[in-house]
């Protein structure tokens, strides 16, 4: 029951991560779901995507939680890029973990990569039309 | 004749993780390899030798896998520095072999572009080429060769296909060495430069690689089960159960036979030498010292067999994925899972395998908590005390009270390890855990030869490294427990007159509040060499002959001399106490500083004292004193 409720929360909000997340709330208020919808239909953060969601990466960044990743945001952005999270890449969310649906496993072009939702917050995906 | 023709040509293997780079290294060099450490760092240096068809000698270095020359972990820093020729005591390679998984070229193309900037002569080995062909993946080799400006060889390392061709290409480049390279133009790329490199890699890929006609769908199907939130965790637990069964039944059985062998050897020497210091040194110092290390070898080999098998299959990345959130709650990285798992056999291989963790703090946290996992050296102590103090009762027909206590002690170890790491990461090193970004490689059938070679290699490393640290410590502890010898006509056990005995008496007032008597305090000192030695030491102070081979007699003695509260306090002590000098020695080696072993000793001793104190007084209050 609790899990279902959480899953609904996920649909509308970027994930609110446990105690690690100090500035997470800021990110939530900055981009409320309505604004996301206004920015373009089918545009989602990778951190808010659900299994089966697929599309093309339109923007890769890491600015949302400075100091929240264990490395600085520029370093995180470069690591994401080096793993192939790059604008234009095809992506599909394959699996998610049991606790708070975290971490996630994605197919990224022709490879599979695992990462935490928290580190995927500034990766934006244009979902394919279903 | 250039200088290059006279010495072996230096070849470095560079590539992404999971490209079969190590399998290619094994196919190239066979058994002619040696493992050491790079000067000043604890990264493994794997070097092997090849002789070419024309008699030229090549020395091949297997560098740690990386996605970029921009290093994140100590391992990756070695790869960068080795390629750039910046490593102390290492010259730059004459030829770089870029190893790529032919079915997954995108990321490695970007790495190759970085390697091209370095300017060393390079050969590209397209490994796992058979899988690419089976999938119907078409690569325009000539076009790619022209585009990259370097020779390309297709290989199947597990079947040794293409290896001769690779050697011939490397030799040709090495011969042309002085004209082949250009000056190093590499520097750390910025985010826009990485994006540009991706576009370039994408262009090359589009131009020369046709996507597979029959892409691998098996990995996706297996993942649907193994990464399932419920089934996946259940399967992981099942695998762990089988692994533990393997370690504690097969591994322990062989180890016990070896232990009996060492005891017999000791008895043989004792019978053929005049009694005295020399006989005691050989039997109690050398043989039982070396023996106490080697009896763990079978368990460690079984454990590594499972770990390497699952690693080669591609499962370990999945295990880290499933465990990341659970470990993350305690401030540990998903990759800490394997080191902590290994620590159930022995903390030493566990601590040595923390090298896979990129971030220094994540790695140190894992090292600091690894000894809290119940290693197999605690089992003899737990068995002895449980046998002496816990009644052999069964509840509800199947729950044995003794078994429950044993389970409780294991659980206490796990919970305290998670608790301590939580405290470290929330109080001392606040801030987020390093990002968890990990490739989930395609599943592959492990090759028996590679698994066997790697298991043997791990065993060798354990014996040589651990042996080099443990053996001298055993000698020191023996000296402490035997020098000076007893005066003539003494009736008390000889250990009472030694340095260890005096130290034990000196420490007694300190340990009296936790319910320890002086005999226990004395036995703790030789027990510092290795946990299970305390059993033999207790036998010595209570003058029970052959306590190791006959624990029943010693248990009866202990039940007679100790209160239940003291017994429980001793168990609590053993969950936490830093009773293993070898572990501290390995921590010193892995961290290159005395600071961390000292911190480990102090926090573990502190926890042990506090828990024993609480256990003892609680038990006394409940009437067990």
């Amino acid at each position: 029951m609790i899990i279902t409720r959480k899953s609904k929360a996920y649909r509308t909000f970027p994930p609110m991560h446990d105690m690690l997340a100090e500035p997470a709330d800021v990110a939530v208020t900055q981009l409320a779901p309505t604004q996301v919808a206004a920015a373009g239909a089918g545009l989602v953060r990778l951190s808010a995507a659900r299994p089966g969601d697929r599309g093309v990466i339109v923007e890769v960044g890491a600015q949302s939680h400075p100091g929240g990743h264990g490395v600085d945001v520029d370093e995180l952005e470069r690591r994401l890029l080096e793993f192939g999270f790059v604008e234009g890449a095809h992506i599909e969310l394959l699996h998610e973990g049991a606790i708070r649906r975290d971490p996630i496993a994605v197919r990224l072009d022709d490879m599979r990569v695992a990462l935490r939702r928290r580190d995927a917050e500034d990766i934006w995906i244009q979902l394919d039309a279903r | 004749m250039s200088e290059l023709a006279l010495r072996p040509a230096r070849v470095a293997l560079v590539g992404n993780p999971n490209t079969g780079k190590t399998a290619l290294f094994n196919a190239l060099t066979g058994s002619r390899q040696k493992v050491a450490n790079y000067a000043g760092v604890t990264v493994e240096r794997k070097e092997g030798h090849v002789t070419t068809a024309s008699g030229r000698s090549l020395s091949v270095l297997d560098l740690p896998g990386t996605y970029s020359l921009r290093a994140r972990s100590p391992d990756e820093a070695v790869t960068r520095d080795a390629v750039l020729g910046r490593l102390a005591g290492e010259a730059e390679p004459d030829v770089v072999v870029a190893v790529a998984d032919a079915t997954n070229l995108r990321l490695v193309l970007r790495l190759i572009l970085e390697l091209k900037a370095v300017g060393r002569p390079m050969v590209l080995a397209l490994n796992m080429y058979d899988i690419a062909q089976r999938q119907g993946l078409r690569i325009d080799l000539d076009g790619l060769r022209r585009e990259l400006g370097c020779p390309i060889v297709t290989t199947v390392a597990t079947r040794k296909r293409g290896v001769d061709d690779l050697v011939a290409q490397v030799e040709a480049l090495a011969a042309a060495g002085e004209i082949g390279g250009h000056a190093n133009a590499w520097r750390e790329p910025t985010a826009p430069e990485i994006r540009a490199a991706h576009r370039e890699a994408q262009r090359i890929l589009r131009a020369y690689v046709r996507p597979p006609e029959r892409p691998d769908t098996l990995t996706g199907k297996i993942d649907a089960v193994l990464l399932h939130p419920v089934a996946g965790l259940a399967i992981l637990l099942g695998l762990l159960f089988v692994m533990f069964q393997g370690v504690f039944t097969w591994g322990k059985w062989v180890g016990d036979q070896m232990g009996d062998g060492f005891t017999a050897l000791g008895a043989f020497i004792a019978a053929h030498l005049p009694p005295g210091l020399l006989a005691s040194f050989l039997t109690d110092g050398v043989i039982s010292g070396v023996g106490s290390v080697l009896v763990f070898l079978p368990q460690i080999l079984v454990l590594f067999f499972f770990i390497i098998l699952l690693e080669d299959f591609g499962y370990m990345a999945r295990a880290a994925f499933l465990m990341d959130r659970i470990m993350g709650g305690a401030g540990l990285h998903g990759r800490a899972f394997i080191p902590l798992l290994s620590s159930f056999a022995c903390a030493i291989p566990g601590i040595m395998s923390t090298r896979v963790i990129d971030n220094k703090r994540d790695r140190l946290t894992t090292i600091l908590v690894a000894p809290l996992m119940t290693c197999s050296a605690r089992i003899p102590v737990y068995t002895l005390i449980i046998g002496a103090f816990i009644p052999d009762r069964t509840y509800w027909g199947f729950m044995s009270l003794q078994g429950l206590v044993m389970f409780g002690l294991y659980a206490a170890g796990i919970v305290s390890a998670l608790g301590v790491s939580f405290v470290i990461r929330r109080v001392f090193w606040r801030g987020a855990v390093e990002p968890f970004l990990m490739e989930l490689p395609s599943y592959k059938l492990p090759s028996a030869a590679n698994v066997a070679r790697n298991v043997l290699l791990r065993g060798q490393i354990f014996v040589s490294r651990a042996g080099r640290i443990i053996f001298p410590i055993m000698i020191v502890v023996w000296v402490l427990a035997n020098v000076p010898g007893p005066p003539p006509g003494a009736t008390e056990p000889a250990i009472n007159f030694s340095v260890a005995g005096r130290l034990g008496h000196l420490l007694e007032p300190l340990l009296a509040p936790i319910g320890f008597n002086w005999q226990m305090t004395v036995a703790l000192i030789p027990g510092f060499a290795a946990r299970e030695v305390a059993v033999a030491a207790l036998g010595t102070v209570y003058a029970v002959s052959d306590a190791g081979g006959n624990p029943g007699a010693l248990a009866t003695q202990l039940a007679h001399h100790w209160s239940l509260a003291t017994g429980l306090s001793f168990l609590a002590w053993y969950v936490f106490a830093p009773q293993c000098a070898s572990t501290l020695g390995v921590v010193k080696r892995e961290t290159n500083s005395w600071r961390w072993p000292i911190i480990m000793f102090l926090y573990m001793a502190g926890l042990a004292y506090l828990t024993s104190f609480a256990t003892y007084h609680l038990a006394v209050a409940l009437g067990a004193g």
Side-chain angles (χ1 to χ4, degrees):
Chain A
M1 196 56 213
I2 294 166
I3 292 170
T4 8
R5 277 182 51 209
K6 269 189 188 152
S7 76
K8 277 183 191 151
Y10 252 108
R11 208 68 187 122
T12 40
F13 288 105
M16 301 253 280
H17 285 290
D18 54 17
M19 350 154 200
L20 288 173
E22 312 88 37
D25 313 50
V26 183
V28 175
T29 47
Q30 270 171 355
L31 274 158
T34 47
Q35 283 171 294
V36 174
L43 194 62
V44 296
R45 294 175 184 270
L46 176 56
S47 56
R50 301 291 310 278
D53 283 356
R54 64 172 82 180
V56 175
I57 296 180
V58 291
E59 196 190 321
V60 177
Q63 65 278 8
S64 275
H65 305 295
H69 301 286
V71 293
D72 62 40
V73 291
D74 171 62
E75 172 65 23
L76 177 62
E77 182 182 346
R78 286 197 279 176
R79 285 195 197 182
L80 290 169
L81 289 168
E82 279 164 358
F83 261 81
F85 291 93
V86 64
E87 289 81 1
H90 291 268
I91 190 166
E92 178 185 354
L93 203 154
L94 299 172
H95 306 285
E96 52 189 15
I99 302 171
R100 291 176 183 234
R101 305 176 164 269
D102 200 32
I104 51 176
V106 299
R107 181 203 299 282
L108 192 58
D109 286 323
D110 32 24
M111 62 189 281
R112 291 173 179 77
V113 180
L115 77 166
R116 298 195 188 114
R117 288 189 184 266
R118 176 178 186 74
D119 299 328
E121 190 130 343
D122 294 309
I123 299 174
W124 287 91
I125 304 169
Q126 179 67 54
L127 294 180
D128 294 348
R130 299 214 181 184
Chain B
M1 266 278 154
S2 72
E3 166 254 356
L4 197 63
L6 304 173
R7 59 165 174 80
R10 290 181 299 262
V11 182
L13 301 187
V14 186
N16 293 163
N18 311 309
T19 50
K21 193 166 52 60
T22 298
L24 189 62
F25 175 74
N26 288 341
L28 275 170
T29 61
S31 53
R32 298 169 63 194
Q33 32 179 279
K34 69 173 198 258
V35 179
N37 268 17
Y38 288 97
V41 284
T42 52
V43 175
E44 255 163 43
R45 182 184 190 278
K46 281 174 82 179
E47 188 186 29
H49 287 277
V50 194
T51 310
T52 66
S54 62
R56 181 74 198 269
S57 171
L58 308 178
S59 114
V60 185
L61 215 51
D62 182 15
L63 293 173
T66 183
Y67 292 95
S68 162
L69 289 184
R70 229 168 48 73
R72 300 166 302 160
S73 66
D75 274 27
E76 293 177 0
V78 160
T79 301
R80 177 197 61 205
D81 293 344
V83 169
L84 295 175
R86 287 185 195 159
L87 218 53
E90 307 267 344
E92 58 184 355
D94 298 309
V95 180
V96 170
V97 177
V99 186
D101 171 355
T103 64
N104 189 359
L105 285 174
R106 194 179 304 268
L107 292 192
V108 79
L109 276 174
R110 215 193 48 71
L111 178 65
I112 288 168
L113 295 175
E114 279 194 56
L115 287 171
K116 271 182 68 179
V118 173
R120 301 311 303 160
M122 179 166 61
V123 183
L124 170 58
L126 290 180
N127 196 26
M128 309 194 202
Y129 198 66
D130 55 336
I131 301 177
Q133 280 179 318
R134 220 178 302 139
Q135 291 182 359
L137 182 92
R138 299 272 188 74
I139 302 172
D140 174 2
L141 293 174
D142 286 322
L144 198 57
R145 188 173 296 142
R146 275 194 310 275
E147 177 75 49
L148 296 175
C150 71
I152 298 181
V153 180
T154 62
T155 58
V156 183
T158 46
R159 303 226 171 90
K160 302 205 172 180
R161 246 186 258 158
V163 169
D164 294 340
D165 193 13
L166 176 62
V167 170
Q169 295 287 358
V170 168
E171 186 183 14
L173 274 188
E178 50 274 42
I179 52 161
H182 62 77
N184 171 29
W186 183 86
R187 60 186 172 78
E188 217 173 81
T190 61
E193 283 165 350
I194 300 173
R195 284 189 170 91
H198 265 299
R199 280 194 295 276
E200 174 71 357
Q202 180 73 11
R203 183 188 63 76
I204 297 173
L205 211 59
R206 284 232 178 89
Y208 304 107
V209 181
R210 187 130 51 86
E213 291 157 10
R214 298 172 293 278
D216 163 43
T217 54
L218 189 64
T219 296
K221 286 177 191 156
I222 299 177
D223 269 347
V225 179
L226 294 186
L227 292 186
H228 187 274
V230 180
L233 276 175
I235 291 169
L236 176 61
L237 280 180
L239 279 172
L240 292 185
F241 180 77
V242 171
M243 210 154 147
F244 272 84
Q245 286 291 312
V247 169
F248 290 116
T249 50
W250 318 329
K252 196 169 180 314
W253 184 83
V254 178
D256 288 346
Q257 306 311 304
M258 287 170 64
D260 292 348
F262 283 113
T263 312
L265 181 65
F268 176 81
I269 289 182
H272 288 79
L273 275 181
L277 271 190
L278 178 65
S280 164
F281 176 74
L282 285 179
T283 56
D284 299 336
V286 179
I287 293 175
S288 67
V290 175
S292 70
V293 181
L294 289 185
V295 290
F296 292 109
L297 186 61
Q299 292 186 44
I300 286 165
L301 289 182
V302 171
L303 189 80
F304 274 116
F305 169 74
F306 280 107
I307 289 177
I308 289 166
L309 196 69
L310 292 174
E311 181 88 59
D312 284 8
F313 178 58
Y315 184 73
M316 276 310 179
R318 272 79 182 177
F321 174 86
L322 291 168
M323 293 305 293
D324 180 62
R325 200 64 218 220
I326 297 166
M327 314 278 289
L332 284 166
H333 196 272
R335 292 203 180 178
F337 175 63
I338 296 160
L340 293 185
L341 187 66
S342 309
S343 302
F344 277 110
C346 174
I348 293 167
I351 288 166
M352 295 196 313
S353 59
T354 57
R355 292 170 189 174
V356 296
I357 302 170
D358 302 344
N359 179 280
K360 195 175 171 215
R361 286 180 171 184
D362 291 344
R363 181 167 176 239
L364 278 172
T365 310
T366 312
I367 289 178
L368 285 176
V369 303
L372 291 173
M373 306 305 266
T374 304
C375 67
S376 44
R378 285 181 176 94
I379 296 174
V381 181
Y382 286 174
T383 319
L384 172 72
I385 306 297
I386 288 177
F389 292 98
I390 308 297
D392 190 5
R393 253 183 246 144
T394 308
Y395 296 104
W396 303 300
F398 65 96
M399 298 263 273
S400 133
L401 184 61
Q402 295 188 336
L404 273 179
V405 172
M406 191 66 142
F407 176 81
L409 292 168
Y410 267 85
I414 297 170
V415 169
S416 58
L418 296 180
V420 169
S421 78
F422 184 87
V423 170
I424 293 175
R425 293 313 304 255
R426 293 282 184 271
V427 178
F428 296 106
W429 285 334
R430 272 200 264 176
V433 178
E434 186 90 339
F436 174 75
L437 263 170
M438 193 178 56
E439 187 178 352
L440 299 172
S442 300
Y443 290 106
K444 288 177 196 82
L445 220 52
S447 125
N450 261 320
V451 172
R453 185 186 297 282
N454 285 332
V455 170
L456 286 178
L457 190 67
R458 290 295 119 192
Q460 256 174 19
I461 292 172
F462 172 77
V463 172
S464 69
R465 298 232 174 112
R468 237 177 285 159
I469 296 165
I470 294 169
F471 185 65
I473 291 172
M474 291 295 183
I475 302 299
V476 170
V477 171
W478 177 85
V479 170
L480 286 181
N482 286 276
V483 176
T491 52
E492 286 174 75
I495 191 172
N496 291 353
F497 301 95
S498 68
V499 179
R502 283 167 208 202
L503 214 55
H505 282 288
L506 205 69
L507 288 176
E508 195 205 339
L510 189 69
L511 295 183
I514 62 172
F516 286 16
N517 56 30
W518 70 263
Q519 287 95 332
M520 293 163 78
T521 320
V522 171
L524 285 183
I525 293 177
F528 186 65
R531 291 181 167 90
E532 77 282 9
V533 172
V535 173
L538 280 172
T540 313
V541 285
Y542 282 108
V544 176
S545 55
D546 191 21
N550 185 14
L554 180 59
T556 316
Q557 280 283 326
L558 295 186
H560 180 67
H561 285 285
W562 298 2
S563 69
L564 174 60
T566 294
L568 293 177
S569 169
F570 195 68
L571 280 181
W573 173 266
Y574 256 83
V575 172
F576 298 102
Q579 288 281 88
C580 180
S582 320
T583 301
L584 297 171
V586 169
V587 172
K588 149 79 178 62
R589 220 193 133 94
E590 291 292 313
T591 59
N592 268 326
S593 129
W594 277 112
R595 184 168 170 203
W596 300 107
I598 289 170
I599 288 175
M600 180 185 272
F601 179 85
L602 292 178
Y603 103 78
M604 288 181 79
L607 263 184
Y609 194 86
L610 286 178
T611 338
S612 292
F613 186 85
T615 308
Y616 180 69
H617 287 277
L618 195 69
V620 170
L622 292 174

